[in-house]
Amino acid sequence: MRLILSNVLLLAWCTSSALGFSSSISSSLGKTTHRSWTSVLPPLHVSIGLGPDKKMEEEGGEEATDDPVGEEKKQLVAGVDYEIPDHESFRTSRRSKLDEQCDVWFGALLGGEDDKGVLGELADEARKTLLTPVPLVNEEKLPRDHEEYTPYVSTKLPWTPLVPAFGLEEFGLPVPRRNAEAWRHFDVASLVAQSYSGSCEGTGKVMELTDDQVKSFQAQLESSGSWLADDACQARLVYINGRYAPQLSVENDLARNMDSYDSCSEEIKSYLSRLTDGFTDELVTPVQIGDDKVATSYKKLSGPDHCLGEPFSQFAINTQQGTACFAALNTRRTGAVAYVHIPEGKEGDETGERPKPVLILNAVTKNGGAASESEGMAFHPRCLVVAEKYSRLSIVQSSIDLDDMTQHVPKFYNGYTQIFVKDGANVTHSYLEESGGMVTAGVEMSDDSVEKGQPLPREIEAARPELKDTHFEAIDVHVMGDDGKYEGTIMSFGGSGRVRVAHSVSLLRPGSHATINGFSLSGGAQRTDCKTNIHHVAQGTTSEQIQKNMIGGRSTGAFRGRIRVEQSAQQTDSQQLSRSVLLSDRARAWSIPSLEIIADDVKCTHGATVSDLSEEELFYLRSRGLDRTLSRNLLMYAFANDVCTCVDPAMLTSVDSDRGLQKRLIQRLENVVPQGDRAVKGEFQSI
């Protein structure tokens, strides 16, 4: 009874003190008891649900303190009451050993002052941007009457050391970090453990081929299905190890190799100077955000409460794709730029026929063009596409292997593609990544499934030279005109050890539309990463996206799709769907769709599934006379065919053709069919 009474007293005191009441529990428990509680325990100066504290009202809305009323709050003096830290000495204090290795690896890629490409002063500006550390500035809270006031401010105490966001300790743009959001599911440790400090001999110069080389290379490209004859395309630009090969190309007014930066117009220079992830803060075109107000700044969209803010802040970096540093690296080191410019067309084209494609072919040899033995090579292909008003364009980019009878050298492919779509223009874009050979089949098999005396498939895969290759591609699209349309199809089924494709589309004008189709195939011991970002900025924009991934062997496949709808993008209609097939229980799949909506009048949907092929569907095909292997292969091809048919028809030909894309896709799919007892046997639901 005494214990219960004590608990009641404590509860009554807490309640009365918290609500600001002068408790009168002495009426029932005695005046002496009440005095003993109030004399021992101090009152709590807080209010719950009863409005502001009296002291807060007297001080004009400022936060109440524990100081007695009427006593002035002591102002701390810098250098007297606290020591001002040397912020610069703490700049790299948070780096781990792997972080230091990442910075050394990226610095080797950047090279010295004399290591630059063909973009002249723009290359110097890119180097300066990368080597200029971000300032260490404490974020200050603005006054309430300021038009950009927001309570979401991260202000540190004046005696707290300031440190940059992760990845910005040494460089002016964030470089890879294993624990960063942009790199969380990528094999950063293996990436930076491989050196790619070498460069192709003759970078920046046109490649001169002998007649025998022209015949040999053209025959290989034709047999691989990546070649388009002169009458099958509007133009053809061929690059070998990042160097332009005019003897295999067809230039005209629509497409040419940019060999001089100084002769470019100011508009083209502004396009080439842009960086991804919002680090070029100025929007390509002003965006209407009110009746009499326009926005020109990327970081202030949906401000002040919902903007991303400075791109080098940790909050903004967490939403980025991590491509800005590699875009700047490409600007610094690129040896050639494929420039496609479609002039203004006629409004309301009534022909309805798809234009012949412009082919941009990047061939990669075994040694990457190294003049001598090297630990690794790096080359930086660049592509710039500008579609003027009411024009129509179909562009095909292809990355393919080319056998020049040399020894393999690890290669780093750092591509950067920029596409700008103006009023009423319609651009169809196909990107095919097939470099890096073919992965080893059956790596998911256990040791008991392999005959004695035979090498294990996973050991063969571990020794495969192409497993040391890395393929990066950043595709940055800006639909900057009213009613502009962009349709992009990404097919990634090469055999490089690490593949990362980042696709970003910004819809900046009313009525603009984007369709994104993607397919990624992972096998062997690959690490593949596909990132998409659809940014709705203007009113009445629409987008559709479907991403399909197939992961087998002991590989890891990751997809991260982000859709952001700004406050100015009312009446937005956006749809996103990601489907992944997991072929073996040794494989790993990550699917992370993301939807950020600031506007309040939108229609947005997204979804993601991960599963094996359905046992019911397999049973249906087997009941029609097909064996299990053929049934499984048929379902795998049907899964990928939805995206494959969106590629430009010139690259598809017929299914029975040895040169068609479908035939090559079937061969890749058959190579990752699960074997042995490690295959997933249909226990997941149908997709």
Side-chain angles (χ1 to χ4, degrees):
M1 183 65 182
R2 186 175 301 174
L3 178 62
I4 296 175
L5 180 59
S6 300
N7 291 337
V8 171
L9 289 172
L10 179 60
L11 178 61
W13 173 82
C14 292
T15 304
S16 62
S17 300
L19 297 180
F21 298 147
S22 57
S23 175
S24 59
I25 60 175
S26 59
S27 59
S28 60
L29 300 177
K31 184 174 295 186
T32 305
T33 303
H34 171 65
R35 288 178 179 175
S36 63
W37 278 101
T38 56
S39 61
V40 175
L41 298 176
L44 298 178
H45 295 287
V46 294
S47 300
I48 302 177
L50 299 179
D53 185 85
K54 182 178 179 180
K55 187 184 298 185
M56 178 180 265
E57 292 180 345
E58 293 175 354
E59 296 179 359
E62 295 296 330
E63 184 179 358
T65 65
D66 292 334
D67 297 334
V69 178
E71 182 178 339
E72 294 184 0
K73 184 178 180 180
K74 180 182 178 181
Q75 297 293 332
L76 299 180
V77 180
V80 178
D81 297 306
Y82 63 89
E83 183 179 355
I84 302 176
D86 180 12
H87 300 297
E88 289 297 329
S89 63
F90 291 91
R91 181 178 288 273
T92 60
S93 60
R94 295 191 299 179
R95 284 195 308 182
S96 64
K97 293 295 183 181
L98 181 58
D99 295 341
E100 295 178 4
Q101 189 177 356
C102 290
D103 291 342
V104 172
W105 176 82
F106 189 82
L109 285 175
L110 182 60
E113 295 184 1
D114 297 332
D115 298 323
K116 65 178 181 179
V118 298
L119 292 184
E121 62 181 16
L122 190 59
D124 295 330
E125 293 177 5
R127 177 179 172 81
K128 182 179 179 181
T129 300
L130 285 168
L131 294 181
T132 303
V134 298
L136 301 178
V137 180
N138 196 8
E139 190 175 2
E140 298 294 339
K141 191 174 182 179
L142 296 173
R144 287 181 179 271
D145 56 353
H146 196 281
E147 62 178 1
E148 296 184 3
Y149 166 79
T150 176
Y152 308 110
V153 178
S154 178
T155 303
K156 293 187 176 182
L157 296 173
W159 51 83
T160 304
L162 300 178
V163 293
F166 289 105
L168 286 170
E169 291 85 353
E170 185 171 337
F171 295 96
L173 297 173
V175 299
R177 290 288 187 265
R178 180 172 57 184
N179 294 326
E181 286 296 326
W183 302 93
R184 187 172 298 277
H185 303 114
F186 197 76
D187 191 7
V188 174
S190 296
L191 172 69
V192 300
Q194 176 61 54
S195 173
Y196 299 109
S197 57
S199 59
C200 178
E201 183 183 14
T203 299
K205 299 179 181 179
V206 172
M207 177 174 285
E208 296 181 1
L209 303 175
T210 64
D211 293 340
D212 293 338
Q213 286 178 320
V214 171
K215 293 179 180 179
S216 174
F217 290 164
Q218 181 173 340
Q220 288 188 52
L221 295 175
E222 288 178 351
S223 62
S224 66
S226 302
W227 181 268
L228 290 179
D230 296 355
D231 58 351
C233 60
Q234 295 192 74
R236 183 178 63 246
L237 303 179
V238 179
Y239 297 85
I240 301 177
N241 299 326
R243 295 181 60 189
Y244 180 58
Q247 294 158 288
L248 296 171
S249 306
V250 177
E251 284 186 292
N252 50 35
D253 295 337
L254 299 180
R256 62 180 177 85
N257 177 60
M258 186 183 296
D259 54 2
S260 175
Y261 171 76
D262 297 333
S263 61
C264 295
S265 64
E266 292 301 322
E267 179 186 19
I268 299 303
K269 290 182 179 180
S270 67
Y271 292 158
L272 291 171
S273 65
R274 296 193 65 85
L275 296 176
T276 58
D277 289 338
F279 283 93
T280 298
D281 183 47
E282 185 179 1
L283 297 172
V284 178
T285 183
V287 177
Q288 193 78 24
I289 60 174
D291 295 336
D292 56 350
K293 191 175 181 180
V294 296
T296 59
S297 173
Y298 173 85
K299 67 183 179 183
K300 294 183 179 181
L301 290 174
S302 298
D305 293 337
H306 303 288
C307 62
L308 293 177
E310 296 292 343
F312 47 78
S313 66
Q314 190 65 64
F315 176 73
I317 289 177
N318 289 342
T319 67
Q320 295 170 7
Q321 294 181 323
T323 57
C325 65
F326 293 101
L329 178 64
N330 181 285
T331 303
R332 172 66 183 178
R333 300 296 301 270
T334 185
V337 179
Y339 176 44
V340 180
H341 179 244
I342 304 300
E344 184 174 340
K346 295 182 179 180
E347 185 175 3
D349 188 0
E350 299 178 356
T351 61
E353 297 181 0
R354 181 190 289 263
K356 294 181 180 179
V358 174
L359 176 63
I360 300 177
L361 183 58
N362 281 285
V364 181
T365 63
K366 287 187 175 182
N367 69 347
S372 58
E373 293 185 5
S374 174
E375 294 182 2
M377 304 292 298
F379 45 92
H380 312 270
R382 186 69 172 260
C383 179
L384 174 63
V385 179
V386 180
E388 298 290 347
K389 295 181 178 180
Y390 312 115
S391 61
R392 299 187 64 192
L393 168 67
S394 178
I395 182 171
V396 177
Q397 287 181 275
S398 180
S399 178
I400 196 73
D401 289 328
L402 194 62
D403 188 3
D404 60 348
M405 306 303 292
T406 58
Q407 294 294 323
H408 179 271
V409 173
K411 295 174 289 294
F412 175 56
Y413 181 107
N414 177 37
Y416 185 25
T417 299
Q418 297 173 284
I419 300 177
F420 298 89
V421 184
K422 298 187 178 181
D423 295 348
N426 192 334
V427 175
T428 302
H429 177 217
S430 303
Y431 183 86
L432 310 176
E433 196 284 302
E434 304 179 61
S435 62
M438 190 173 292
V439 300
T440 306
V443 297
E444 70 279 356
M445 298 172 62
S446 61
D447 297 352
D448 297 336
S449 302
V450 181
E451 296 182 5
K452 293 184 178 180
Q454 297 295 326
L456 295 175
R458 67 172 180 270
E459 295 177 352
I460 299 176
E461 173 69 4
R464 188 170 63 92
E466 291 82 4
L467 202 61
K468 296 182 179 180
D469 293 348
T470 300
H471 185 104
F472 281 7
E473 183 71 36
I475 303 173
D476 195 31
V477 182
H478 297 267
V479 184
M480 53 183 296
D482 293 358
D483 301 318
K485 291 180 174 57
Y486 168 81
E487 179 180 353
T489 302
I490 312 297
M491 298 283 293
S492 175
F493 48 90
S496 298
R498 291 169 292 271
V499 180
R500 192 174 194 267
V501 180
H503 196 182
S504 178
V505 181
S506 298
L507 304 174
L508 303 173
R509 297 296 299 173
S512 55
H513 174 79
T515 300
I516 296 181
N517 308 298
F519 175 75
S520 175
L521 178 65
S522 308
Q526 281 184 295
R527 299 295 291 264
T528 63
D529 196 356
C530 178
K531 294 185 176 297
T532 63
N533 179 38
I534 303 177
H535 194 186
H536 291 266
V537 182
Q539 182 177 359
T541 56
T542 57
S543 66
E544 299 177 9
Q545 179 183 8
I546 181 168
Q547 175 70 33
K548 293 193 173 185
N549 311 296
M550 189 170 289
I551 305 102
R554 295 174 182 261
S555 65
T556 298
F559 165 73
R560 189 182 187 96
R562 174 176 178 258
I563 297 176
R564 180 175 170 91
V565 183
E566 300 291 352
Q567 194 169 17
S568 55
Q570 304 292 340
Q571 290 88 48
T572 287
D573 188 347
S574 181
Q575 302 174 17
Q576 181 192 69
L577 179 62
S578 169
R579 290 182 170 180
S580 301
V581 170
L582 198 62
L583 297 176
S584 98
D585 64 351
R586 292 295 192 185
R588 295 292 179 268
W590 300 87
S591 187
I592 309 173
S594 173
L595 188 57
E596 304 172 20
I597 302 176
I598 314 301
D600 54 10
D601 183 11
V602 300
K603 181 181 178 182
C604 298
T605 61
H606 71 159
T609 63
V610 179
S611 77
D612 185 27
L613 298 174
S614 171
E615 194 70 26
E616 295 178 359
E617 295 168 357
L618 289 172
F619 175 79
Y620 175 81
L621 293 177
R622 295 182 67 187
S623 68
R624 296 301 186 267
L626 302 180
D627 60 25
R628 185 179 182 87
T629 301
L630 184 57
S631 299
R632 193 176 188 93
N633 292 353
L634 183 61
L635 289 177
M636 290 171 62
Y637 174 72
F639 176 79
N641 190 54
D642 291 344
V643 176
C644 183
T645 53
C646 297
V647 176
D648 191 283
M651 304 301 295
L652 296 178
T653 64
S654 64
V655 178
D656 297 330
S657 173
D658 292 336
R659 300 179 181 179
L661 178 62
Q662 298 98 321
K663 186 70 173 181
R664 305 198 302 274
L665 179 59
I666 291 174
Q667 292 175 350
R668 301 271 184 172
L669 292 174
E670 291 177 345
N671 191 51
V672 297
V673 171
Q675 303 176 23
D677 57 353
R678 307 308 306 187
V680 178
K681 296 180 173 58
E683 57 262 32
F684 294 127
Q685 296 295 323
S686 172
I687 59 173

